[in-house]
């Protein structure tokens, strides 16, 4: 029986909008699979609640922006304690001293992204690798795997230009008709 792909997205407060890029990357996959995207509720959660959200995830995407903020720190610690598969991603921006110290003490290799489009590209390539599981955990057919491979090749060949951002709805999801849609310009405002 096919398993559901369970993802946890942790983001510092200044990267709330970047969560939409991950949802968009999933929506753009050329295969139909069960996916559950988890996050700590905006109203906050107890340590035990965060534990439950992360405990059985297949992948944790950790997005670090200008500053480390709660509950991202607790999510980071729990992800490591629970031995979850983590992809640490950082936005290319100047960081506060606390965020610089967090990076220094993390002892992991970080993947840097400069835009939501670049983040979506990184996550898409990561998802195609995860879904190509040797025991076919997610119930994909040979045709599905071929579609994923072609999608990944297309993503690698057509890397987005710097500064071009995908459309999105920070707190929800939008599926766009990419064959007939217009290119959207979006501006990321960063305040200090």
């Amino acid at each position: 029986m096919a398993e559901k792909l369970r993802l946890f997205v942790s983001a510092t407060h200044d990267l709330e909008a970047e969560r939409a890029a991950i949802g968009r990357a999933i929506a753009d996959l050329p295969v139909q699979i069960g996916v559950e995207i988890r996050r700590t509720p905006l109203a906050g959660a107890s340590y035990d609640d965060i534990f439950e959200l992360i405990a059985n995830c297949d992948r944790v995407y950790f997005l670090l922006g200008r500053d480390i903020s709660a509950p991202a720190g607790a999510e980071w610690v729990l992800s490591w304690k629970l031995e979850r598969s983590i992809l640490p991603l950082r936005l290319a921006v100047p960081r506060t001293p606390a965020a610089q110290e967090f990076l220094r003490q993390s002892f992991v290799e970080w993947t840097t992204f400069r835009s939501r489009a670049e983040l979506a590209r990184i996550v898409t390539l990561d998802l195609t690798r995860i879904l190509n599981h040797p025991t076919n955990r997610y119930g994909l057919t040979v045709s599905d795997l071929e579609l994923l491979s072609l999608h990944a090749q297309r993503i690698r060949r057509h890397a987005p230009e710097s500064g071009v951002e995908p459309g999105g709805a920070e707190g929800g999801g939008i599926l766009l008709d990419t064959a007939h849609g217009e290119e959207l310009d979006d501006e990321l405002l960063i305040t200090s």
Side-chain angles (χ1 to χ4, degrees):
M1 186 169 146
E3 293 181 35
K4 187 184 295 185
L5 176 62
R6 291 175 180 87
L7 306 172
F8 186 88
V9 180
S10 177
T12 55
H13 291 299
D14 57 332
L15 296 184
E16 275 299 316
E18 278 64 16
R19 289 180 196 268
I22 292 175
R24 173 66 191 259
I26 294 165
D28 286 344
L29 290 173
V31 295
Q32 298 293 318
I33 57 166
V35 179
E36 183 179 341
I37 304 173
R38 300 175 180 179
R39 66 168 292 168
T40 301
L42 289 173
S46 69
Y47 188 83
D48 290 338
D49 292 338
I50 297 170
F51 181 97
E52 289 300 319
L53 289 168
I54 295 173
N56 67 344
C57 284
D58 299 303
R59 182 62 135 173
V60 174
Y61 292 109
F62 187 89
L63 310 176
L64 178 65
R66 189 175 295 282
D67 195 9
I68 186 67
S69 56
E75 293 165 348
W76 176 263
V77 169
L78 275 170
S79 295
W80 283 104
K81 281 185 179 178
L82 294 169
E83 298 179 353
R84 298 295 84 201
S85 174
I86 304 168
L87 180 56
L89 301 152
R90 65 181 180 186
L91 182 62
V93 293
R95 279 177 236 303
T96 65
Q100 289 174 6
E101 185 64 15
F102 177 81
L103 281 173
R104 190 184 69 73
Q105 291 183 7
S106 67
F107 300 109
V108 296
E109 185 176 333
W110 289 79
T111 301
T112 302
F113 65 97
R114 289 165 183 71
S115 66
R116 279 180 250 164
E118 188 175 5
L119 173 63
R121 180 178 177 274
I122 292 165
V123 169
T124 296
L125 293 173
D126 185 60
L127 287 169
T128 59
R129 186 193 56 74
I130 290 169
L131 291 172
N132 198 6
H133 194 273
T135 62
N136 197 15
R137 288 178 58 182
Y138 307 106
L140 298 174
T141 66
V142 171
S143 296
D144 289 337
L145 294 171
E146 288 175 3
L147 285 172
L148 276 175
S149 177
L150 290 171
H151 186 63
Q153 288 173 18
R154 195 169 35 253
I155 294 291
R156 283 185 196 99
R157 276 195 319 265
H158 302 302
E161 294 178 28
S162 181
V164 176
E165 296 288 331
E170 297 164 13
I174 295 177
L175 296 178
L176 299 174
D177 180 358
T178 56
H180 299 96
E182 297 178 26
E183 190 145 333
L184 300 175
D185 290 326
D186 197 359
E187 188 174 318
L188 175 63
L189 298 176
I190 300 176
T191 58
S192 41

